[in-house]
């Protein structure tokens, strides 16, 4: 039996009936990594963890390279953090370890999570397991690819504007961005603190619920963590959507949407209707401004968060041979010039610009106001529907290099995912079909704050009645 191809819940059943041990599962997944990762390049580093994990949750997991893990090097796939060994575990890492989980390794990402293709990594790109000439999406592309390629049973990613859901869609796996405040950000290397959230990438919806049970919950070391009870998410796995109200925004099927993606999503809507859901049209009039708003708010926060990487405390330090300004200013400048990639520099410049005096009111303040309008659109829509449905991304996976020189077209990959981050609501991507080229297509649902259960219920019902999650890439 190929243990690496199983879901976590299937492996847990084998543990229970003593048909497999955590050592056997670990060995099989590691040999899968050995067999395919030279082509997929999902991992930037395997972990130093010795044990195979224990207990009921000894499931091998891939971790995005931006979550602090003690005894490991963590770099955000940036040269500037090479050699950084965090002295503590992130909140989610503690929870994984407490549950007996086995960290396999650290997954490739766009540098500091800036991107939608995993090409902006100092380690080079990850490749899409369904077509190795395509990108896996990003920025959690390594995490999504590791799960799709059976190089991890499940994975953690982070999502600031779509970085869990868009790669989940491109790689044909399930990806959930929880409600802002649901999962601790303690020890997550910050990109945009008001938007970042950690979440699961899994082979199916049941595994998504199981991993949420492990990672969700209050953490007083994250001041934005919310102290509300955590449900047992597996209780939400109900194969019944009768009477559930699904809103479909009329703005979603607009220009720029690939026709194969729109057909697959329309078919999914029909399927959900057949299963008893009530589908209605809603309007989110401010969502066309979401991408522009995001690139103001997110770059402003990123420029501030990245100021700490200057050669003093973390990772790379570049000293100059001859003094130009003062030794310390030279060190800051040379460390950042050498250590940061082009997209990181672009974000820092944009963010510094929108926060600078004279432009603050015109950009940052106005961006925050539009953010509120986008949130109000969603609040309004949720008054009479339980979930909102859109495509996850406007296209299937694109070719490696195709958008690398056109940042704007890359930014547009996130038109559908960004509103949930701006509003702080939970959102999930599940597979809903394949293009004629054989590339996965994803369906996105957004839910009310702290109602991940509704997302899981609708997706579980959809999954139980469709074959997409059972398909595997041919590697
Ligand atoms: N692709 C978006 C960006 O480049 C979102 C990234 C993310 O969610 N981390 O900012």
């Amino acid at each position: 039996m190929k243990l690496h191809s199983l879901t976590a819940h299937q492996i847990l059943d084998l543990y229970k009936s003593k048909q497999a041990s955590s050592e056997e599962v670990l060995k099989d997944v590691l040999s899968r990594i050995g067999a395919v990762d030279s082509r997929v390049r999902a991992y930037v580093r395997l972990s130093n963890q010795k044990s195979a994990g224990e207990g009921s949750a000894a499931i091998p997991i891939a971790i995005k390279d931006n979550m602090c893990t003690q005894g490991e090097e963590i770099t955000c796939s940036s040269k500037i953090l090479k050699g950084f060994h965090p002295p503590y575990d992130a909140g989610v890492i503690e929870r994984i370890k407490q549950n007996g989980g086995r960290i396999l390794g650290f997954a490739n990402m766009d540098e500091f999570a800036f991107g939608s293709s995993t090409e902006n990594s100092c380690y080079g790109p990850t490749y899409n397991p369904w077509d190795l000439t395509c990108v896996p999406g990003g920025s959690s592309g390594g995490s999504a690819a590791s799960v799709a390629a059976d190089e991890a049973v499940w994975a953690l990613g982070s999502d600031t504007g779509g970085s869990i859901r868009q790669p989940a869609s491109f790689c044909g796996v399930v990806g959930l961005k929880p409600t802002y405040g649901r999962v601790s950000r303690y020890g997550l290397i910050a990109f945009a603190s008001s938007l970042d959230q950690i979440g699961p990438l899994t082979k199916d919806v049941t595994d998504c619920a199981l991993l949420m049970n492990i990672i969700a919950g209050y953490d007083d070391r994250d001041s934005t963590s919310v102290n509300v009870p955590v449900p047992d998410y597996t209780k939400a796995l109900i194969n019944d959507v009768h009477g559930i109200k699904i809103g479909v925004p009329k703005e979603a099927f607009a220009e720029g949407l690939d026709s194969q993606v729109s057909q697959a999503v329309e078919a999914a809507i029909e399927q959900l209707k057949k299963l008893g859901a009530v589908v209605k049209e809603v309007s989110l009039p401010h969502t066309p401004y979401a991408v522009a708003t995001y690139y103001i708010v997110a770059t402003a926060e990123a420029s501030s968060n990245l100021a700490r990487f200057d050669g003093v405390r973390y990772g790379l330090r570049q000293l100059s041979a001859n003094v130009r300004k003062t030794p310390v200013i030279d060190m800051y400048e040379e460390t950042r010039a050498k250590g940061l990639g082009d997209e990181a520099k672009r974000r820092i410049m944009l963010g510094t610009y929108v926060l600078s005096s004279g432009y603050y009111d015109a950009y940052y303040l106005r961006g925050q106001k539009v953010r509120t309008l986008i949130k109000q659109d969603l609040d309004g829509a949720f008054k009479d529907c339980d979930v909102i449905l859109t495509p996850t991304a406007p296209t299937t996976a694109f070719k490696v290099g195709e958008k690398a020189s056109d940042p704007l077209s890359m930014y547009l990959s996130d038109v559908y995912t960004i509103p949930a981050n701006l509003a702080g609501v939970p959102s999930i991507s599940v597979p809903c079909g394949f293009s004629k080229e054989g590339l996965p297509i994803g369906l996105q649902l957004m839910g009310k704050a702290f109602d991940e259960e509704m997302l899981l219920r609708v997706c579980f019902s959809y999954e139980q009645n469709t074959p997409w999650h059972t398909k595997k890439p041919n590697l």
Side-chain angles (χ1 to χ4, degrees):
M1 185 180 357
K2 289 195 207 133
L3 294 168
H4 61 254
S5 63
L6 302 179
T7 61
H9 61 91
Q10 288 168 335
I11 291 172
L12 293 175
D13 286 344
L14 294 182
Y15 288 167
K16 229 178 270 159
S17 58
K18 304 240 180 325
Q19 287 173 274
S21 68
S22 57
E23 285 78 15
E24 286 165 335
V25 172
L26 175 63
K27 205 171 139 220
D28 197 57
V29 178
L30 287 173
S31 79
R32 175 71 176 173
I33 295 174
V36 302
D37 204 50
S38 59
R39 283 174 287 144
V40 177
R41 299 193 170 276
Y43 289 94
V44 297
R45 207 171 311 110
L46 293 182
S47 93
N48 300 319
Q49 196 176 328
K50 294 280 178 294
S51 83
E54 51 191 89
S56 59
I59 300 294
I61 188 168
I63 302 291
K64 190 174 181 178
D65 189 27
N66 63 353
M67 300 177 203
C68 289
T69 308
Q70 209 173 7
E72 307 282 355
E73 186 189 16
I74 299 295
T75 72
C76 277
S77 297
S78 176
K79 272 196 226 151
I80 209 164
L81 278 175
K82 286 262 173 92
F84 170 57
H85 289 82
Y88 64 92
D89 281 332
V92 290
I93 300 295
E94 276 177 2
R95 285 171 176 271
I96 295 288
K97 288 183 177 172
Q98 278 159 9
N99 278 276
R102 172 54 156 83
I103 296 171
L104 290 161
F106 300 92
N108 200 14
M109 57 185 280
D110 287 295
E111 180 176 15
F112 286 106
F114 301 151
S116 305
S117 67
T118 316
E119 292 167 293
N120 303 331
S121 160
C122 74
Y123 303 103
T126 293
Y127 300 96
N128 192 310
W130 294 89
D131 177 345
L132 296 169
T133 67
C134 289
V135 302
S139 63
S140 312
S143 300
S146 71
V147 175
D150 289 328
E151 294 182 65
V153 180
W154 57 21
L156 289 183
S158 65
D159 189 313
T160 307
S163 278
I164 290 174
R165 291 160 286 157
Q166 183 257 20
S169 163
F170 280 16
C171 291
V173 299
V174 175
L176 171 68
K177 181 203 86 75
T179 309
Y180 186 74
R182 175 83 287 183
V183 175
S184 171
R185 291 185 299 110
Y186 175 72
L188 169 69
I189 299 174
F191 162 3
S193 309
S194 77
L195 302 161
D196 298 341
Q197 196 53 199
I198 292 173
L201 287 131
T202 58
K203 294 181 189 179
D204 67 10
V205 178
T206 302
D207 277 8
C208 183
L210 286 169
L211 191 46
M212 277 299 286
N213 277 357
I214 297 174
I215 64 171
Y218 179 63
D219 184 345
D220 64 8
R221 298 164 300 182
D222 167 4
S223 61
T224 60
S225 172
V226 180
N227 197 355
V228 292
V230 181
D232 174 356
Y233 288 106
T234 61
K235 296 239 162 74
L237 302 173
I238 302 163
N239 184 358
D240 178 14
V241 288
H242 276 101
I244 287 178
K245 287 182 249 152
I246 300 180
V248 178
K250 57 171 188 255
E251 294 80 6
F253 291 85
E255 197 194 338
L257 176 60
D258 178 278
S259 64
Q260 296 195 70
V261 173
S262 108
Q263 277 162 24
V265 173
E266 309 264 13
I269 294 172
E270 287 313 309
Q271 177 80 39
L272 285 161
K273 274 190 201 159
K274 250 196 254 153
L275 295 172
V278 182
V279 175
K280 47 165 82 181
E281 188 181 270
V282 296
S283 175
L284 303 172
H286 295 93
T287 45
Y289 304 103
V291 173
T293 305
Y294 170 84
Y295 277 93
I296 290 172
V297 174
T299 58
E301 294 184 21
S303 70
S304 162
N305 274 323
L306 263 63
R308 62 174 69 101
F309 304 114
D310 57 8
V312 176
R313 191 189 288 257
Y314 307 98
L316 181 80
R317 172 176 299 171
Q318 196 70 35
L319 297 170
S320 66
N322 26 15
V323 176
R324 287 182 296 110
K325 294 181 181 162
T326 69
V328 70
I329 300 286
D330 289 355
M331 178 189 73
Y332 295 158
E333 290 185 356
E334 297 200 11
T335 300
R336 288 167 73 82
K338 255 240 156 70
L340 295 169
D342 289 348
E343 184 60 25
K345 287 176 183 160
R346 183 179 293 124
R347 304 272 174 130
I348 291 169
M349 287 190 278
L350 275 169
T352 306
Y353 179 76
V354 300
L355 287 175
S356 58
S357 101
Y359 295 103
Y360 182 92
D361 290 3
Y363 295 108
Y364 187 70
L365 204 62
R366 191 171 297 185
Q368 293 291 19
K369 289 180 179 165
V370 181
R371 180 178 187 174
T372 302
L373 293 173
I374 290 167
K375 178 166 186 311
Q376 286 170 353
D377 280 358
L378 284 165
D379 289 346
F382 283 128
K383 284 208 179 95
D384 47 23
C385 45
D386 301 300
V387 295
I388 294 172
L389 183 155
T390 68
T392 305
T395 64
T396 53
F398 43 87
K399 294 281 182 197
V400 175
E402 189 182 323
K403 299 194 179 185
S405 57
D406 184 357
L408 210 56
S409 86
M410 188 78 87
Y411 294 175
L412 288 171
S413 316
D414 299 312
V415 275
Y416 296 114
T417 48
I418 281 172
N421 301 79
L422 290 172
V425 299
S427 177
I428 192 168
S429 177
V430 288
C432 73
F434 288 87
S435 69
K436 59 181 189 308
E437 296 80 18
L439 290 168
I441 298 172
L443 170 76
Q444 173 179 255
L445 294 178
M446 292 181 271
K448 298 175 190 170
F450 295 99
D451 198 5
E452 282 81 4
E453 290 153 288
M454 182 57 80
L455 300 181
L456 292 168
R457 175 173 174 177
V458 176
C459 291
F460 181 75
S461 306
Y462 177 72
E463 186 185 80
Q464 292 301 300
N465 292 283
T466 49
W468 317 119
H469 64 294
T470 61
K471 306 263 189 273
K472 297 270 187 192
N474 212 334
L475 269 166

